Amino acid sequence: DALILNRIRLTGGAALFFRWGARDEFAFTVGGFHPAFRPFIPEGLIEPPRLGAYWKPHNHVELSISGYWAVTSCSLQFGFSAHVEIGASWGGLRADAEFNFLVMTKPRVLFDLELQFRVTAHLFGCDLFSASLHGHMSGPDPWTIEGSIYWEVCGVNLSKDFGPYHWGDDAGQLGSVSQEAR
């Protein structure tokens, strides 16, 4: 944790991990790991906190960002999130964005990409306008893409989900043969 110019708060951590022997493993991260990678974090490695910066330049403006970057013996991953809030107790604007990316080679090949965005304008405790987008893509066995779009104006909302759409072969099902046990 650090404070720059008595106004910007910085947080986060990093970790470096090596293991030799029967299971060679390597991990280097600044800010932690992709959420889907957590079951594969090498045993004995403690995930460090996200890198982050928080800044409140004015009583009515608040900005924060966080992120991570990691490379391991079987993956490359990075991501970030951002939050902006402008306004007072009677009204204002909020916006959030998040991006996560993961490529793994073991225990299976995996590509995972996720993006989220939301913006909301509010007045006297009521949302006047809100819009969001969420998308997710993963693969390759099979490739899957899905998402949603949400829109609200003065209490009337519209949303549209798309997917999940799949293409390609499911590696878990290739070559499987059903047999009756007797």
Side-chain angles (χ1 to χ4, degrees), residues 40-108:
F40 304 103
I41 293 174
E43 186 179 326
L45 175 61
I46 297 172
E47 182 177 7
R50 291 275 190 256
L51 290 181
Y54 173 81
W55 182 35
K56 191 165 183 166
H58 187 274
N59 285 341
H60 303 297
V61 177
E62 181 180 307
L63 308 165
S64 63
I65 58 171
S66 67
Y68 65 93
W69 178 84
V71 62
T72 70
S73 51
C74 65
S75 73
L76 172 64
Q77 46 196 301
F78 57 89
F80 76 90
S81 66
H83 172 78
V84 177
E85 193 158 343
I86 301 169
S89 61
W90 54 269
L93 181 72
R94 286 186 304 267
D96 295 289
E98 185 172 355
F99 175 84
N100 289 296
F101 176 79
L102 169 66
V103 174
M104 284 179 59
T105 58
K106 293 178 189 171
R108 68 182 187 104

Side-chain angles (χ1 to χ4, degrees), residues 115-133:
L115 173 67
Q116 297 182 61
F117 177 76
R118 182 175 181 95
V119 63
T120 303
H122 59 95
L123 183 62
F124 299 115
C126 297
D127 289 351
L128 295 176
F129 166 82
S130 186
S132 67
L133 168 71

